Amino acid sequence: MASIKDVALRAGVSVATVSRALSGNGKVSAASREAVANAAKDLGYVLSYNASSLASGRSRNIGIVMPTVSRWYYANVLQGATQELNERGYDLTLYNTSGEQRHRDAVFQDLLMRQRLDAVITVTLKLTDPELHQLRSVGKPLVALGGLLPEVQTIRVDDFNIASLATEHLVSLGHTDIAFLGGADAFNVDFKLPGARLDGFEYALDQADIAVNPQWLLDADFTTAGAYQKVRSLLSNPRGRPTALLCVSDEMAFGAIMAARDLGLSLPGDFSVLGIDGHELGELFGLTTIAQHPAAQGEAAVARIMELLGEGGAEDPAQTLPVDEFFPTEFVLRTSTAPPAAG
């Protein structure tokens, strides 16, 4: 069975260089890294991560904490982060709080304190002062995805401006009777993202001198089925209906489109629908949306963690990295929005 010394001899480098090249810890030239990789492959050698961890003080394991994995956004963030960690030779430990306080307490009071992680990524969780203190006390790098935390490296989208831009698009088409489908109170927690999008919607209407109709401010549970019921009731109102609708998620926009079609309305001739997310099924529905690329957000969070761990090339990450960064979004125009029908 080949040893690390055999790999070093075959590659023509030191044992220390082999360890750095295969573990990813420390600087190694591209030529040496390739030589080590080829030698290890030829000899069938696999680095012992237990030994590597003892030598480096690293577990090569990153923790990700999120409130759920069942919704589209979180599943895609997880997919992107997992792919990026795999590329870098790191493991991932997922902590799902399931939206329950007791699970969240268990994560921050026990699981994260076991020193098995090199760093932590939180996703749309507004950490309390005690939670932040607990994480800082173990001295591990922290990146927050989805909302601003004090003195924490943060990556997020600008929810206010996303909703404002979406509303401006509908206004620019000539719509003045515009409804809003947001998240129910149960979902307006932590960074209150649905609330921020409602604020952006109302701001854009105010700038256009369009009054907000309180009866057209709806909420649902971020599911297609829940949105379908709410929008079907809205459009069935005999006292007038809106000509356009902004949904705070694409999945709810899908439900809105199906409700309108079931009532015999044509889209976008009778009714325009605009979503936020960039869901892969949006093209099938012809949905105009603002894509926030959650998988790329997950990749970006891992890249930021690697920089904080000293693997991103920066000599002093604390001095070179922005503390708060808005992740770029993309306006995607399809066929679900158009000017309102004349008359």
Side-chain angles (χ1 to χ4, degrees):
M1 183 176 180
S3 69
I4 192 170
K5 292 182 179 179
D6 297 326
V7 176
L9 184 62
R10 173 73 68 93
V13 298
S14 68
V15 169
T17 298
V18 172
S19 178
R20 290 196 301 272
L22 295 181
S23 69
N25 294 319
K27 295 182 179 180
V28 179
S29 70
S32 295
R33 190 180 301 277
E34 183 179 2
V36 169
N38 289 336
K41 182 179 179 181
D42 292 342
L43 296 171
Y45 176 78
V46 178
L47 179 69
S48 168
Y49 275 101
N50 287 335
S52 176
S53 295
L54 288 173
S56 67
R58 296 271 183 87
S59 66
R60 300 192 68 80
N61 188 10
I62 306 299
I64 295 186
V65 189
M66 53 178 56
T68 181
V69 294
S70 62
R71 282 163 50 189
W72 178 85
Y73 171 80
Y74 296 100
N76 278 269
V77 166
L78 185 60
Q79 178 181 346
T82 300
Q83 180 173 329
E84 186 68 14
L85 287 170
N86 286 341
E87 291 287 335
R88 296 173 181 266
Y90 273 75
D91 294 325
L92 177 149
T93 298
L94 173 65
Y95 298 96
N96 178 8
T97 67
S98 302
E100 295 189 24
Q101 188 61 45
R102 61 188 180 91
H103 292 160
R104 181 165 173 157
D105 291 343
V107 168
F108 287 99
Q109 295 176 9
D110 182 20
L111 298 179
L112 292 180
M113 302 298 109
R114 294 181 184 174
Q115 300 285 344
R116 295 185 300 190
L117 305 173
D118 290 337
V120 176
I121 298 170
T122 62
V123 184
T124 70
L125 292 173
K126 186 176 183 180
L127 303 186
T128 64
D129 288 340
E131 289 170 344
L132 282 170
H133 175 74
Q134 287 167 332
L135 287 176
R136 287 171 175 150
S137 68
V138 297
K140 303 297 184 182
L142 171 64
V143 168
L145 185 60
L148 180 63
L149 292 176
E151 300 179 11
V152 172
Q153 294 286 330
T154 300
I155 300 172
R156 57 184 174 135
V157 298
D158 190 338
D159 289 285
F160 179 92
N161 279 320
I162 285 175
S164 179
L165 172 62
T167 308
E168 288 170 11
H169 169 65
L170 295 173
V171 171
S172 72
L173 293 173
H175 292 279
T176 56
D177 297 327
I178 307 172
F180 178 88
L181 180 58
D185 289 343
F187 298 93
N188 201 31
V189 295
D190 285 302
F191 293 110
K192 302 185 183 300
L193 305 186
R197 293 178 181 178
L198 174 59
D199 290 343
F201 169 77
E202 293 182 331
Y203 173 82
L205 289 186
D206 180 70
Q207 292 298 298
D209 292 323
I210 298 173
V212 175
N213 186 336
Q215 295 182 343
W216 292 348
L217 299 180
L218 311 177
D219 58 64
D221 58 0
F222 282 92
T223 68
T224 298
Y228 176 91
Q229 295 297 333
K230 287 296 182 77
V231 176
R232 186 180 176 91
S233 297
L234 171 72
L235 298 179
S236 299
N237 190 329
R239 295 188 176 180
R241 60 172 178 248
T243 61
L245 171 68
L246 171 60
C247 301
V248 300
S249 81
D250 281 358
E251 288 178 287
M252 291 203 292
F254 301 155
I257 289 173
M258 289 189 284
R261 288 175 177 170
D262 284 354
L263 290 172
L265 300 178
S266 67
L267 274 80
D270 297 323
F271 189 56
S272 287
V273 177
L274 195 152
I276 297 172
D277 269 340
H279 196 290
E280 57 270 13
L281 292 179
E283 187 171 0
L284 178 64
F285 281 86
L287 179 65
T288 296
T289 187
I290 296 180
Q292 60 172 323
H293 306 296
Q297 290 184 43
E299 294 173 1
V302 170
R304 181 71 63 85
I305 282 290
M306 293 300 120
E307 291 176 312
L308 293 173
L309 289 171
E311 297 191 19
E315 294 183 2
D316 187 358
Q319 296 296 321
T320 60
L321 294 176
V323 174
D324 182 29
E325 175 186 350
F326 279 131
F327 194 81
T329 55
E330 177 186 6
F331 182 83
V332 182
L333 179 64
R334 296 196 180 103
T335 59
S336 68
T337 54

